[in-house]
Amino acid sequence: MTARAADRARYDRATAQLDAPVAIVDLDAFDANADDLVRRAGGKPIRVASKSVRCRALLERVLAREGFAGIMSFTLAESLWLARSGFDDVLLAYPSADRAGYAELAADPKLAAAVTVMVDDPAQLDLIDAARAGGGEVVRVCLELDTALKLLGGRVRIGARRSPLHSPAQVAEVARAVARRPGFQLVGIMAYEGHVAGVGDAVAGRPLRSRAVRLMQAAARRELAARRAAVVRAVREVVPDLEFVNGGGTGSVQHTAAEDAVTEIAAGSGLYVPRLFDNYTSFRGRPAALFALPVVRRPGVGVVTVLGGGYPASGAPGADRLPVPYLPEGLRYDPQEGAGEVQTPLLGPVADDLLIGDKVWFRHAKAGELCERFDTLRLVEGDAVTATVPTYRGEGHTFL
């Protein structure tokens, strides 16, 4: 029996009394992935990206482990909810226009001490001030650095379009705007190198593309390391007691941690290890988050149909945004149908071994987005479900 077949047998035994669709997290794999992230971080603390987890119980579990500290959130409403729930170090990774949220933040000493908001434009400070509604608490601020690699005088850009702040001078200018503005405190810098951390460099069947990605990423790491260090020096001239410099992502943990200017690493997807993280040479994780759909039809030889399945991930549309049939091994989508809204046909000789009611296990393309489809996660240890915990959705929250 292969390791994957053994996992399938465990998951089927653990959920034998549960009807599908059902989502699980294998805690042995989850904890092993957490240990691997800590190893790769080389002693620097890891701030957990909540969008890649979306379950308070699992955020608490990983933050209780040595090597993890703080949360990187994705909306202001989520940040405030987490802070009210007892998380005392929440960095909002994206600018917000949530005026009601800013009014709440500025009026509550506990929330203001726990939550740091993201800024890359003085206009965002104006919005926050206009939203205070009389609240006088000091708002903690982090500046985001654009990490994109620019070539040919800027005519070629590689990297996500996030912050407009690219050069040390640009970041320092906004740092000065924050420093001289009453009611704000600049405490950190963040830079997410998604073109390194979030792009696989070993795509199966694409050796030339994979080599090109590796060359690009090596050049991007060198350029960003030098520029990030210069940015940190420039900002520390304005704010000498800067609390943190955050960088990285699951795919670049060890590279970012090697930079002296970086004080902490961001990571989250590496805990669940979705399918987009199969194509990396720098690390190998264990798939920890899966969902099962039930076989409801057998339309013919070599075909079964499962209920549901159309759970695409965000990003540029493509086949790599679909969940992947994982267990049993050997199933694939019908290219004419793909993953369906209500039903999904699956092809392959192994389909003939599946009976009505059997479970087919899938891995989502991305990490936390799976939790937008399920109210609960069943936590599996060995071949038993040992706990059932709510996702954000199960707690009544869909923040985006």
Side-chain angles (χ1 to χ4, degrees):
M1 182 181 291
T2 67
R4 280 174 60 173
D7 283 341
R8 180 196 176 200
R10 286 196 301 114
Y11 301 151
D12 282 348
R13 286 195 298 270
T15 62
Q17 304 306 312
L18 299 174
D19 287 334
V22 62
I24 67 168
V25 171
D26 184 333
L27 290 181
D28 291 337
F30 182 90
D31 291 343
N33 293 333
D35 288 341
D36 185 62
L37 287 170
V38 170
R39 177 189 62 79
R40 291 199 286 137
K44 292 187 177 177
I46 298 170
R47 185 180 291 274
V48 184
S50 63
K51 78 177 184 66
S52 300
V53 179
R54 302 193 201 200
C55 171
R56 277 201 302 165
L58 291 174
L59 288 172
E60 291 168 353
R61 182 183 184 91
V62 72
L63 285 170
R65 302 176 71 86
E66 186 175 351
F68 291 85
I71 290 176
M72 178 175 283
S73 58
F74 59 96
T75 73
L76 182 54
E78 180 213 14
S79 305
L80 299 176
W81 176 63
L82 291 173
R84 287 193 299 268
S85 301
F87 297 96
D88 60 4
D89 181 5
V90 183
L91 169 62
L92 175 56
Y94 306 88
S96 176
D98 180 354
R99 292 175 173 83
Y102 283 131
E104 185 178 353
L105 178 68
D108 189 315
K110 178 183 174 182
L111 297 179
V115 175
T116 301
V117 303
M118 193 62 60
V119 167
D120 57 33
D121 187 322
Q124 293 153 351
L125 303 178
D126 295 337
L127 187 148
I128 296 170
D129 268 340
R132 284 179 181 271
E137 295 299 322
V138 172
V139 175
R140 292 167 54 87
V141 169
C142 177
L143 301 182
E144 181 170 2
L145 168 67
D146 172 36
T147 64
L149 176 64
K150 295 184 178 182
L151 304 172
L152 301 178
R155 293 190 295 277
V156 174
R157 174 192 176 92
I158 301 172
R161 296 183 181 278
R162 293 175 62 114
S163 170
L165 306 179
H166 189 81
S167 70
Q170 289 174 318
V171 182
E173 181 180 357
V174 178
R176 286 189 289 271
V178 176
R180 60 175 173 255
R181 188 97 170 224
F184 295 92
Q185 180 187 5
L186 179 56
V187 297
I189 299 171
M190 187 197 85
Y192 171 58
E193 52 267 39
H195 50 302
V196 178
V199 178
D201 64 349
V203 182
R206 304 287 297 275
L208 295 180
R209 182 182 186 278
S210 297
R211 176 168 172 75
V213 169
R214 288 193 292 272
L215 291 172
M216 176 276 291
Q217 290 179 339
R221 288 196 302 267
R222 289 192 298 270
E223 186 276 336
L224 179 59
R227 181 159 52 89
R228 179 155 39 199
V231 165
V232 172
R233 288 194 298 271
V235 173
R236 287 195 185 278
E237 290 180 1
V238 180
V239 183
D241 56 348
L242 203 64
E243 294 179 17
F244 64 85
V245 177
N246 180 282
T250 289
S252 67
V253 169
Q254 66 274 29
H255 302 297
T256 308
E259 296 182 32
D260 291 337
V262 173
T263 66
E264 63 175 42
I265 308 299
S269 296
L271 296 169
Y272 287 171
V273 185
R275 66 168 294 190
L276 286 180
F277 286 90
D278 288 347
N279 302 321
Y280 285 77
T281 57
S282 59
F283 77 101
R284 287 287 184 272
R286 291 173 55 185
L290 302 96
F291 66 94
L293 301 177
V295 174
V296 292
R297 285 176 169 162
R298 292 167 51 91
V301 175
V303 186
V304 292
T305 302
V306 296
L307 184 70
Y311 305 161
S314 59
D320 65 345
R321 300 291 141 170
L322 296 178
V324 60
Y326 184 60
L327 300 171
E329 298 179 64
L331 293 172
R332 66 185 187 279
Y333 290 119
D334 182 333
Q336 301 302 314
E337 297 195 46
E341 177 187 6
V342 179
Q343 68 167 33
T344 298
L346 298 170
L347 312 180
V350 70
D352 294 331
D353 298 327
L354 292 170
L355 305 177
I356 300 295
D358 282 353
K359 294 181 175 77
V360 175
W361 294 92
F362 292 75
R363 293 168 64 202
H364 204 269
K366 297 182 74 173
E369 292 182 20
L370 167 67
C371 294
E372 296 300 314
R373 298 286 183 168
F374 291 88
D375 291 339
T376 60
L377 296 173
R378 310 291 180 154
L379 306 186
V380 173
E381 296 181 79
D383 60 358
V385 171
T386 57
T388 298
V389 296
T391 62
Y392 280 11
R393 168 177 161 162
E395 297 199 68
H397 295 290
T398 51
F399 291 109
L400 278 178

